Amino acid sequence: MEKATEQSSFNFGSSGLPKTYVKGFHDDDAVRRMKYSALGNTGIEVSALGFGASPFDGGYNQTVTDEDCTRSLRAALTSGINYIDTAPWYGRSEEVLGKALKGIPREAYYIATKVGRYKTDITKMFDFSAEKILSGFDESLRKLGLDYVDVIQVHDLEFAPNPEKILSEALPAVRAIQESGRARFIGITGYPVKELKNIYLRSTVKIDSILSYCHLCLNDSSLLEHVPFMEEKGVALINASPLSMGLLTPRGPPTWHPAPDELREAAAEAVLYCQKQGVDLPKLAMSFTLSQESIPVTLVGMSSVSEVERNLSVLHQELTAKEKEVQEYIIKNIFGPVDMKSWENREVAKYWKKLKATLGEGK
């Protein structure tokens, strides 16, 4: 079995190409055009745009085929995107991704998966036990068809019964996986950044990356407040969901979206304002997030070639003067007055209430 080895430094050299470049596989011009940044102190450089594979399960009410997914992944990787993110929680994502990765050079990408969150069944949704983490990760590798991943992440740790469960059991379990050579780096993910930082500071296991989502959007840019901390500690900061899980789209958020009513109403107002101005809201949202140079990589869910091409276009092209004006108006005048720009603790409280009701507790 090929084992993971840590890199301590990176150097593009005279070629101007990243270590993930593979001659004959990549579009040379596209790779040279891609923006790459250091992923914390891991020694690897990642593309500014990361490939989120959660839509491979057909989420957000989309219908996708395995062939769509394979084509989208190849389009992304050959264009210089070199960071892929998946998880068991994303349904068939790992399985479909494993099929799509066949025939693609392993050195052409970095890949991250997760442990701790699994099923839609409320009683089986989370399991941060060492036994489940170890067996679940074995299953992830099998589905992906890989000997190792680059990053193994404890998924949505704020849903654990208490921080000690993460600190004393989950993180030591992923450390054991790392020591076995089946993962190179360790990460944690979740929505509340303060809680992620608390776990990072208390952990005796070295944490290499922190992933949070929906905190670097038109409606909430609070993730930037944590950049100095991450840089000081040398921990990689990974961002996800620049469209705020569908909130910043004409279609609007899915029914399960945890955004409070005030924020939903503001988002709907932003959609109407953009339509009147003849401007695309998702484009403004994507551009805002991808223009933040202090964030090494932003994960965006993609499952079609057109989505890949559209996102690359936003990354490489500046907004027009009109688009910038509309973007600034939305941030200042539509989302600015909103008191609750996020939904801290709402999902966690809802989860525990539903779980206790399902188990018949608290009666």
Side-chain angles (χ1 to χ4, degrees):
M1 177 182 291
E2 180 182 0
K3 288 192 175 183
T5 57
E6 294 187 13
Q7 295 174 312
S8 60
S9 63
F10 55 83
N11 182 7
F12 281 10
S14 59
S15 68
L17 297 167
K19 288 185 176 180
T20 47
Y21 170 76
V22 178
K23 186 176 178 59
F25 173 76
H26 283 103
D27 178 330
D28 291 25
D29 292 337
V31 174
R32 286 192 170 90
R33 195 180 184 191
M34 178 60 68
K35 302 173 183 177
Y36 295 94
S37 299
L39 189 67
N41 285 345
T42 62
I44 65 177
E45 285 216 338
V46 292
S47 51
L49 180 61
F51 192 95
S54 61
F56 278 20
D57 187 52
Y60 293 93
N61 299 317
Q62 292 178 313
T63 300
V64 298
T65 66
D66 290 3
E67 290 73 23
D68 291 333
C69 296
T70 297
R71 286 191 289 266
S72 66
L73 181 67
R74 281 189 168 266
L77 294 181
T78 56
S79 296
I81 292 174
N82 71 352
Y83 192 88
I84 306 168
D85 180 86
T86 185
W89 169 245
Y90 306 148
R92 294 184 62 240
S93 175
E94 289 180 318
E95 178 184 345
V96 176
L97 184 56
K99 295 177 182 178
L101 287 171
K102 290 181 178 179
I104 294 176
R106 179 61 181 89
E107 64 268 30
Y109 60 88
Y110 303 118
I111 187 167
T113 191
K114 307 181 185 76
V115 294
R117 188 168 190 172
Y118 301 100
K119 305 290 186 179
T120 54
D121 181 341
I122 192 72
T123 64
K124 300 177 181 178
M125 188 175 291
F126 293 96
D127 190 340
F128 295 103
S129 68
E131 180 181 5
K132 178 60 179 179
I133 285 174
L134 295 173
S135 63
F137 181 70
D138 287 341
E139 181 69 6
S140 290
L141 286 184
R142 186 190 67 77
K143 290 180 178 179
L144 291 168
L146 299 175
D147 293 326
Y148 73 94
V149 297
D150 296 281
V151 187
I152 181 173
Q153 304 162 110
V154 180
H155 197 177
D156 290 343
L157 54 73
E158 67 267 29
F159 288 90
N162 52 66
E164 283 63 37
K165 184 71 172 180
I166 301 299
L167 294 165
S168 65
E169 190 164 1
L171 284 169
V174 296
R175 174 57 180 156
I177 290 171
Q178 183 187 45
E179 290 177 333
S180 74
R182 294 178 296 158
R184 298 175 63 194
F185 305 106
I186 293 172
I188 54 177
T189 85
Y191 184 66
V193 184
K194 289 182 179 179
E195 190 161 345
L196 293 170
K197 288 168 63 176
N198 178 54
I199 293 294
Y200 172 84
L201 290 170
R202 294 181 59 192
S203 177
T204 57
V205 172
K206 183 177 182 292
I207 295 171
D208 303 290
S209 68
I210 291 178
L211 184 160
S212 192
Y213 58 96
C214 298
H215 283 309
L216 188 52
C217 309
L218 293 176
N219 58 287
D220 176 8
S221 59
S222 60
L223 188 64
L224 297 176
E225 299 171 5
H226 303 283
V227 168
F229 172 90
M230 306 297 178
E231 292 180 343
E232 177 190 349
K233 301 297 183 181
V235 63
L237 181 56
I238 300 171
N239 176 50
S241 197
L243 301 183
S244 199
M245 299 193 301
L247 188 70
L248 303 175
T249 65
R251 180 186 297 179
T255 55
W256 50 260
H257 200 291
D261 291 341
E262 182 187 16
L263 182 56
R264 284 174 175 267
E265 292 168 3
E269 182 183 347
V271 169
L272 291 176
Y273 182 74
C274 284
Q275 290 174 345
K276 291 178 181 178
Q277 298 298 320
V279 172
D280 183 50
L281 177 60
K283 180 181 180 181
L284 301 187
M286 284 286 296
S287 179
F288 172 79
T289 303
L290 294 175
S291 67
Q292 308 298 327
E293 295 184 356
S294 60
I295 306 299
V297 58
T298 290
L299 301 172
V300 181
M302 294 177 268
S303 57
S304 70
V305 174
S306 61
E307 288 176 335
V308 173
E309 292 175 341
R310 184 166 61 248
N311 291 330
L312 286 170
S313 177
V314 174
L315 175 66
H316 294 312
Q317 297 178 14
E318 286 196 17
L319 297 179
T320 65
K322 174 65 176 296
E323 289 171 331
K324 290 180 180 178
E325 180 183 332
V326 173
Q327 184 189 69
E328 292 173 2
Y329 179 89
I330 290 172
I331 294 172
K332 181 179 179 180
N333 298 293
I334 296 182
F335 289 121
V338 176
D339 290 326
M340 293 186 65
K341 295 180 173 62
S342 63
W343 47 88
E344 298 270 336
N345 301 319
R346 289 170 65 96
E347 281 189 294
V348 175
K350 182 179 179 180
Y351 163 76
W352 283 107
K353 181 179 180 180
K354 183 176 180 180
L355 179 62
K356 290 179 180 180
T358 301
L359 297 176
E361 298 179 9
K363 290 184 178 180

